């Protein structure tokens, strides 16, 4: 049976088991069960909704796990489209409106290639936000978290309790932080020696 990023058979990854399903606030999820489906699960966007197709025999717990897995797959696929600086600024404006009541208003938001030791930066005095090009291709929720992190610095300069209280509004803060920590840890791993004959 062919498998592609949006069609998966078998069990979801272990890491998804304890995660509740989350969709973007603007994208409600509709689960459609089918008696004709035996093992495959698929998902796609339909207007402002996300449709997840699952076998009718799945339990509610399996449904929740698979919704989470498929939302992440869709987000990863969509994030591979590289946003330009204008789109990035528009996204920052939407996130500020959604999570900070529009109070964080940067004068500029853009990608940069000179940030190799941090994911983003904010200069409140200039109202500028810069995101590392290394974020391009990462899941949408991770890019959104970094944008929100920098937007929060326009409202609270340091990393004290008030700053983290602001970021609590974003439901994927901890998950995004874990993802970025995993990327950093993977970059520190020694390279495996090549197999013979390669």
């Amino acid at each position: 049976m062919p498998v592609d990023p949006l069609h998966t058979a078998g069990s979801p990854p272990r890491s998804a088991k304890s995660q509740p399903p989350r969709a973007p606030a603007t994208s409600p999820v509709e689960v459609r069960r089918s008696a004709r489906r035996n093992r495959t699960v698929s998902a796609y966007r339909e207007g402002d909704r996300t449709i997840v197709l699952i076998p009718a025999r799945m339990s509610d717990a399996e449904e929740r796990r698979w919704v989470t897995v498929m939302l992440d797959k869709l987000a990863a696929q969509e994030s591979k489209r590289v946003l330009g600086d204008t789109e990035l600024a528009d996204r920052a404006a939407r996130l500020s409106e959604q999570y900070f009541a529009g109070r964080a208003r940067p004068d500029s938001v853009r990608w940069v290639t000179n940030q190799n030791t941090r994911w983003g930066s904010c200069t409140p005095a200039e109202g500028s936000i810069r995101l590392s090009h290394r974020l391009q291709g990462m899941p949408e929720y991770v890019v959104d978290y970094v944008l929100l992190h920098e937007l929060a610095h326009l409202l609270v300069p340091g990393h004290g309790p008030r700053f983290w209280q602001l970021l609590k509004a974003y439901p994927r803060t901890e998950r995004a932080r874990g993802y970025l920590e995993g990327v950093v840890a993977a970059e520190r791993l020694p390279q495996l020696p090549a197999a013979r004959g390669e």
Side-chain angles (χ1 to χ4, degrees):
M1 175 182 318
V3 175
D4 67 32
L6 299 183
H7 294 82
T8 309
S11 299
R14 286 182 180 270
S15 61
K17 287 186 178 179
S18 63
Q19 299 294 330
R22 296 183 186 108
T26 57
S27 179
V29 177
E30 178 183 329
V31 176
R32 295 179 184 169
R33 290 176 175 264
S34 170
R36 295 189 328 203
R37 279 183 181 270
N38 291 324
R39 298 181 338 194
T40 61
V41 176
S42 62
Y44 60 93
R45 305 283 192 211
E46 185 177 87
D48 67 343
R49 293 179 303 159
T50 301
I51 309 300
V52 180
L53 306 171
I54 64 171
R57 63 173 174 71
M58 270 194 184
S59 69
D60 289 345
E62 288 174 313
E63 174 185 318
R64 286 191 298 273
R65 285 194 302 268
W66 274 108
V67 166
T68 298
V69 168
M70 299 314 286
L71 288 174
D72 285 348
K73 285 181 180 291
L74 279 174
Q77 184 181 58
E78 290 165 353
S79 72
K80 288 180 181 171
R81 292 180 291 113
V82 176
L83 299 175
D85 289 347
T86 302
E87 294 165 307
L88 196 61
D90 291 344
R91 192 153 158 185
R94 284 194 305 274
L95 289 167
S96 175
E97 192 62 43
Q98 183 175 355
Y99 294 101
F100 303 148
R103 293 180 298 131
R105 295 183 183 147
D107 291 324
S108 67
V109 181
R110 65 184 177 91
W111 297 107
V112 294
T113 57
N114 62 352
Q115 289 188 8
N116 294 315
T117 59
R118 53 186 174 171
W119 300 111
S121 65
C122 175
T123 308
E126 297 174 4
S128 64
I129 290 175
R130 306 289 178 259
L131 293 194
S132 172
H133 72 287
R134 296 182 305 141
L135 289 164
Q136 293 172 341
M138 289 190 188
E140 192 173 85
Y141 74 92
V142 175
V143 177
D144 285 352
Y145 163 72
V146 176
L147 269 174
L148 280 165
H149 184 108
E150 303 309 333
L151 285 166
H153 279 308
L154 292 174
L155 304 173
V156 179
H159 289 103
R162 281 183 55 232
F163 175 84
W164 293 110
Q165 189 62 38
L166 279 174
L167 285 180
K168 275 189 178 176
Y170 184 56
R172 293 191 138 187
T173 290
E174 290 307 314
R175 189 168 191 174
R177 284 170 55 89
Y179 184 99
L180 293 171
E181 287 169 5
V183 169
V184 170
E187 288 172 351
R188 291 182 182 149
L189 290 174
Q191 295 295 318
L192 294 175
R196 280 187 199 172
E198 287 187 1

